[in-house]
Amino acid sequence: MLAVTFLDRIGSGLWASVSVLYFTYVSHLSAAQVGALAAIAGAAGIAGAPLGGRIADRLPLTHVLVGLQLLRALASFALLTTDHYGLLVAYSALGALGDRAASILTKLYATRVAGADRVRYQAINRTASNAGWALGGLAAAAALTLGTTTAYRWLLSGDALSFVLVALLTLTCAEPPSPSRVAATAEDTPRTRPRSPWRDRTYLAYVGTETVLFLDDTYFKVGLPLWIAHTPGVPHGLAPLLLVLNSVLVVAFQVPLSRFGATTDASRRLLLPLSAVFAAGGLAMTLSATGDPLRATCLLTVAAALFTLAEMLHATISWELSVALAPDDAQGAYLGVHGLAQAAQRSLGPLAVTAALALGPLGWTALGTTIALTCGIQHRLIRDRLRPAPLSVPTATVSEH
């Protein structure tokens, strides 16, 4: 499954780093249309996690994953066939649905096969994922030096073909045992029903704050490329290169940084420096609007590094707290709800980022400050719910890119 993740991320790196530029220069969409398209696709993706999980409870997990990868390939190939805005939105939404479902089920597969070593396995999986992103981003940057429509189309084709290869590789993976069926067989007393996360107001509020903190994902996929596209003198090839920088930094420092959140109390305390990093990243984006291409390029690189640091710190915090705040008998259900935070930000995030862009340079300072304040809100919100010790092995901490 690590090879599956690696190939999947190569394809995604080819497309994610240039998708905004593709829709802008090949499909000739405006910034508002690109933002709306990303938001609608993100909204469709929200349904992917619960829908994919429900199907996986009834069918073999590997078979469901193969179907989802083929769905993603079909959606990507379909984008090549039209410049009609409505169809581009529909195909993007279909791809997002398959993407979010496949992401959740890949984690489910890892959880089932790794057992007690799931955290370390996820760390290795995270390394493979970001290495794939880096290779895909480098290939995209090289292709963009051509600056032709054909180059953009080849990158999208490469993304689609990667999903076909991933589907074939998944067919070779063994089907993992389903712990839910084992639990159902061992159930003794029906009155010991696990708590529902949908009735836990504190946890739902926590997931709401997580939706805001996951905005670093939209920053790299939508905000940064759009800002580069509309900043005079800055080369368009900088966008995929900064995605490569993001991936390289995560591969190098995700595991070492996770030690700073080795306990639940440490993870909560880490929210305060995280808020400062988010604020500094927004300020660096504002300062990049200098009119000088070289200075703008340097400041955009600093901003990308700061948002990458924020991503890694939040990964450490999020993995630990999402488990620590969940009751022992319902961790699966709670983590499933937590997973919706990232899907939700993929819908709402593009709107927030494009709104910041529309406000001009100061919009980035406002966005960074908003995320920083949300860190403070989460820090106080979870204070009375934290447990004295972490529930997961704290040697490595992982979040999805």
Side-chain angles (χ1 to χ4, degrees):
M1 190 55 71
L2 292 176
V4 167
T5 298
F6 181 68
L7 282 177
D8 188 317
R9 293 297 95 183
I10 288 177
S12 296
L14 288 174
W15 174 239
S17 57
V18 302
S19 60
V20 169
L21 301 177
Y22 177 92
F23 290 129
T24 300
Y25 296 109
V26 179
S27 301
H28 306 293
L29 304 183
S30 66
Q33 285 178 313
V34 173
L37 180 149
I40 294 170
I46 293 176
L51 181 61
R54 185 163 186 172
I55 295 174
D57 283 339
R58 292 162 171 76
L59 297 173
L61 180 55
T62 52
H63 293 182
V64 179
L65 276 169
V66 169
L68 290 171
Q69 299 296 358
L70 293 178
L71 176 65
R72 296 169 75 192
L74 180 63
S76 295
F77 279 125
L79 289 174
L80 292 167
T81 66
T82 184
D83 288 333
H84 186 277
Y85 185 64
L87 291 176
L88 290 174
V89 170
Y91 297 149
S92 297
L94 189 65
L97 181 72
D99 178 73
R100 297 310 305 153
S103 177
I104 293 298
L105 295 190
T106 299
K107 288 184 176 180
L108 178 60
Y109 185 98
T111 299
R112 289 180 178 179
V113 299
D117 293 328
R118 64 186 181 278
V119 176
R120 185 172 297 277
Y121 184 97
Q122 289 279 18
I124 300 172
N125 191 68
R126 174 70 165 164
T127 301
S129 174
N130 281 275
W133 268 96
L135 286 178
L138 283 172
L144 285 183
T145 60
L146 300 175
T148 64
T149 298
T150 301
Y152 283 107
R153 293 185 180 278
W154 274 112
L155 289 172
L156 178 53
S157 299
D159 180 42
L161 288 172
S162 73
F163 297 142
V164 176
L165 291 175
V166 165
L168 293 175
L169 271 178
T170 304
L171 286 173
T172 68
C173 296
E175 178 68 22
S178 173
S180 60
R181 296 192 185 114
V182 174
T185 303
E187 186 73 27
D188 293 327
T189 56
R191 57 189 180 87
T192 59
R193 180 178 299 176
R195 290 172 55 186
S196 169
W198 299 106
R199 296 181 180 180
D200 189 332
R201 295 182 180 179
T202 300
Y203 198 84
L204 291 177
Y206 163 71
V207 171
T209 60
E210 285 285 87
T211 303
V212 178
L213 300 190
F214 274 122
L215 279 174
D216 62 84
D217 183 69
T218 303
Y219 164 81
F220 277 105
K221 292 182 179 178
V222 179
L224 187 60
L226 273 179
W227 190 244
I228 289 174
H230 292 83
T231 302
V234 176
H236 295 165
L238 180 64
L241 287 177
L242 291 182
L243 272 177
V244 171
L245 174 65
N246 169 265
S247 296
V248 170
L249 289 176
V250 170
V251 169
F253 297 110
Q254 175 71 78
V255 173
L257 283 175
S258 70
R259 299 181 184 278
F260 291 100
T263 66
T264 48
D265 286 339
S267 292
R268 178 174 175 265
R269 290 194 300 269
L270 203 57
L271 282 166
L272 299 180
L274 174 62
S275 67
V277 176
F278 270 124
L283 180 60
M285 285 292 290
T286 296
L287 295 176
S288 69
T290 63
D292 179 81
L294 179 60
R295 188 181 306 168
T297 299
C298 292
L299 284 168
L300 286 170
T301 303
V302 170
L306 286 169
F307 273 98
T308 300
L309 176 59
E311 173 193 338
M312 292 186 288
L313 292 177
H314 179 232
T316 300
I317 297 165
S318 182
W319 181 260
E320 176 58 38
L321 295 185
S322 62
V323 175
L325 292 169
D328 295 337
D329 62 347
Q331 285 187 3
Y334 272 69
L335 293 179
V337 170
H338 179 264
L340 293 177
Q342 196 164 33
Q345 75 81 24
R346 292 195 176 190
S347 175
L348 302 176
L351 297 178
V353 168
T354 52
L357 188 148
L359 291 174
L362 289 178
W364 293 111
T365 298
L367 182 65
T369 302
T370 299
I371 303 175
L373 290 174
T374 304
C375 291
I377 293 171
Q378 185 178 112
H379 181 268
R380 181 172 180 81
L381 174 70
I382 63 178
R383 180 181 57 188
D384 296 332
R385 279 281 298 271
L386 285 180
R387 299 177 181 182
L391 298 180
S392 59
V393 179
T395 56
T397 304
V398 183
S399 74
E400 184 185 1
H401 192 282

